[in-house]
Amino acid sequence: MTKATFHISGSSKPLRGSIDVRGAKNDILKGLAAVLLTKGDIAYKNMPQIEDVDRTLELLAALGVRMTGKTARACMLNASHIKGHILRRDIAEQIRASIVLAGPLLARQGKVRFPFPGGCVLGKRPIDLFVRGWQAMGARVRVVDDEYEFSASRLHGADITFYKVSVTGTEAMMLSAVLAHGTTTLRNAALEPEIPHLADFLNSLGAHISGAGTSTIVIEGTGGSVLEGPGEFVTLPDRIEAGSFAALAAARGGKVKITSCNPEHLAVPIEILREMGVRVTVGKDFMLIERTGKIKPIDMIKTREYPGFPTDLQAPFTVLLTRAQGASLVFETIFEGRLAYVDDLNRMGAYITPCDPHRVLVNGPTELRGRRVESPDIRAGLAFVIAAAIAKGPSVLEGIYKIDRGYEKIEARLRRIGVDIERKKS
């Protein structure tokens, strides 16, 4: 892991130009996990060049998945001859999404062993939803050398109700149920667009999944029969990246076209931008962000499950609200600890008052000042990039490996629209 920092010179100069959106981390990682349910060649396209993808490919390679035809954003995988049931600890501990490999491996091999998945502060989240789901499908669990081991001679269908909406939980149980014996019903399932996209891909290979994109998903298991190839997985554009670029363009001002995105996946953030006085023009695969006047405060931004306001956009929009002419409330309802970055924003000159662990009052407008900060997680890391880009003076951002986990060559793309940012090796 190469240690590096971002050096950013803030400015009030309006941004201009076009910036493209790459494939979504939250989509490709689940698509890669699905290869464990298949035999035959699976082509992956529009893959983002990010650390989490590289680490997932390493985990798959250790399990015997063969990769050919690797290019910058594409590859061919074949899982006809997978081996073993253990996820490499040194890799799996780094990324939360490694847990999504566990269900397909359990279904295919009858056993899986993995460490507690991690990756960043928010990666240290409980896995109780996964444990309950696999146990309901007939798996036994034990802890061996500080690792989880699940085993089942065969998984059977189950009626699983999530006590709270979970995107990764929904995807993991859907993947686990594809090869099971009988019918699995997932209730209170997440609605994010990545879920029906994954289901459509699996169905194209012979799975039987209905209801994906609604709160009730039904999976008719194949009874142990592995899905056939060939197949193709084309990664969705990253809606979080697109929304973050929109927040940056609104905060700095100017005219920025965000391309290779799907505005339909950002309906709520777009309306919030418009309420703040930002002009947003949308096409089938682009957004044009224009802001020349003052930014209006918003009564409240409240994070919700899709199609509500995404928790992953909460930090970038909080930075944007430091520019607003008045007070705005931000209410984080999804993850604990996701407002921890606010102290560093205040050190940069923001005037943000915590109300409780879930709500902060953002008072604006304030002029941010450049300083040295460290990225606590993937999403707050990009928010600090935005804060540094609109601040007065230079900033140094440490811990940028976390940003590299989710965003491809972010500095090169931001420079194209006028952000003065440079990567330097420590």
Side-chain angles (χ1 to χ4, degrees):
M1 185 188 305
T2 302
K3 290 185 177 181
T5 54
F6 281 148
H7 292 246
I8 305 168
S9 295
S11 173
S12 58
K13 183 179 179 180
L15 300 176
R16 302 286 177 187
S18 177
I19 186 168
D20 61 314
V21 171
R22 301 292 163 83
K25 175 180 79 77
N26 290 339
D27 191 45
I28 183 61
L29 297 184
K30 318 309 166 51
L32 290 173
V35 76
L36 294 173
L37 300 172
T38 72
K39 58 183 179 180
D41 290 335
I42 307 297
Y44 290 89
K45 299 181 179 180
N46 195 34
M47 295 169 54
Q49 292 178 282
I50 57 175
E51 291 290 331
D52 275 17
V53 167
D54 291 342
R55 301 293 80 74
T56 300
L57 290 174
E58 289 175 358
L59 285 171
L60 291 172
L63 293 169
V65 176
R66 182 168 57 90
M67 180 170 64
T68 57
K70 182 73 168 70
T71 63
R73 295 187 186 87
C75 72
M76 187 83 74
L77 297 181
N78 188 297
S80 296
H81 304 289
I82 63 174
K83 59 187 180 182
H85 66 279
I86 300 173
L87 297 180
R88 277 182 53 183
R89 182 173 190 141
D90 59 325
I91 301 174
E93 284 182 328
Q94 297 182 42
I95 55 173
R96 168 76 176 179
S98 63
I99 196 171
V100 182
L101 300 174
L105 199 56
L106 174 62
R108 180 86 174 261
Q109 301 290 80
K111 183 183 290 187
V112 64
R113 181 170 168 176
F114 58 92
F116 197 95
C120 61
V121 174
L122 294 172
K124 308 299 184 183
R125 299 193 290 268
I127 65 166
D128 54 317
L129 290 175
F130 305 88
V131 174
R132 293 181 186 190
W134 289 322
Q135 287 179 325
M137 298 175 72
R140 299 173 298 278
V141 59
R142 62 179 185 148
V143 177
V144 181
D145 296 331
D146 201 31
E147 294 186 340
Y148 292 101
E149 184 174 271
F150 289 83
S151 59
S153 56
R154 69 178 196 175
L155 294 179
H156 58 71
D159 196 312
I160 300 171
T161 298
F162 298 106
Y163 70 86
K164 61 181 179 181
V165 177
S166 169
V167 179
T168 307
T170 298
E171 293 163 328
M173 291 306 110
M174 186 167 71
L175 287 165
S176 303
V178 167
L179 303 188
H181 295 255
T183 301
T184 297
T185 302
L186 306 180
R187 305 185 191 277
N188 197 29
L191 310 179
E192 272 70 6
E194 293 82 9
I195 293 171
H197 185 240
L198 177 62
D200 289 344
F201 168 64
L202 292 167
N203 284 341
S204 74
L205 299 173
H208 303 284
I209 304 170
S210 60
T214 74
S215 60
T216 302
I217 301 174
V218 178
I219 306 101
E220 301 289 343
T222 66
S225 298
V226 178
L227 302 181
E228 299 285 346
E232 181 179 87
F233 185 93
V234 182
T235 313
L236 293 176
D238 194 330
R239 57 197 169 91
I240 304 305
E241 187 171 271
S244 299
F245 292 160
L248 167 62
R252 180 89 164 243
K255 185 176 182 179
V256 175
K257 186 176 184 179
I258 302 168
T259 62
S260 303
C261 64
N262 188 340
E264 289 185 1
H265 295 165
L266 289 165
V268 172
I270 286 172
E271 285 307 306
I272 287 177
L273 286 171
R274 287 170 173 161
E275 285 292 315
M276 297 171 72
V278 179
R279 183 177 180 183
V280 184
T281 304
V282 301
K284 183 179 180 180
D285 60 356
F286 74 88
M287 298 188 295
L288 184 63
I289 310 297
E290 299 176 85
R291 202 271 294 174
T292 56
K294 295 180 179 180
I295 298 174
K296 301 175 184 176
I298 199 85
D299 288 342
M300 180 170 65
I301 291 180
K302 185 176 184 179
T303 62
R304 305 289 286 184
E305 295 84 2
Y306 190 85
F309 188 87
T311 180
D312 285 347
L313 285 178
Q314 177 254 104
F317 271 68
T318 298
V319 174
L320 170 59
L321 289 172
T322 67
R323 289 292 210 225
Q325 304 287 313
S328 304
L329 185 69
V330 176
F331 189 180
E332 172 59 54
T333 71
I334 307 297
F335 291 132
E336 296 288 338
R338 200 150 213 181
L339 291 166
Y341 68 91
V342 163
D343 287 343
D344 276 319
L345 275 187
N346 281 339
R347 293 187 189 101
M348 294 181 72
Y351 182 20
I352 303 175
T353 305
C355 304
D356 55 45
H358 303 281
R359 298 179 300 163
V360 294
L361 191 65
V362 186
N363 300 279
T366 56
E367 182 176 70
L368 302 184
R369 301 180 300 273
R371 62 174 292 130
R372 182 178 288 267
V373 292
E374 182 170 357
S375 172
D377 61 69
I378 297 174
R379 306 309 180 182
L382 190 56
F384 282 141
V385 171
I386 297 172
I390 65 174
K392 183 178 181 180
S395 294
V396 177
L397 180 55
E398 299 176 333
I400 67 172
Y401 176 78
K402 295 184 180 74
I403 299 174
D404 290 338
R405 286 183 50 216
Y407 301 99
E408 176 185 332
K409 299 178 180 177
I410 192 70
E411 72 277 17
R413 287 184 286 155
L414 291 177
R415 281 198 295 267
R416 296 188 196 123
I417 59 173
V419 177
D420 187 348
I421 178 172
E422 182 180 0
R423 179 189 296 260
K424 293 185 179 182
K425 293 183 180 180
S426 300

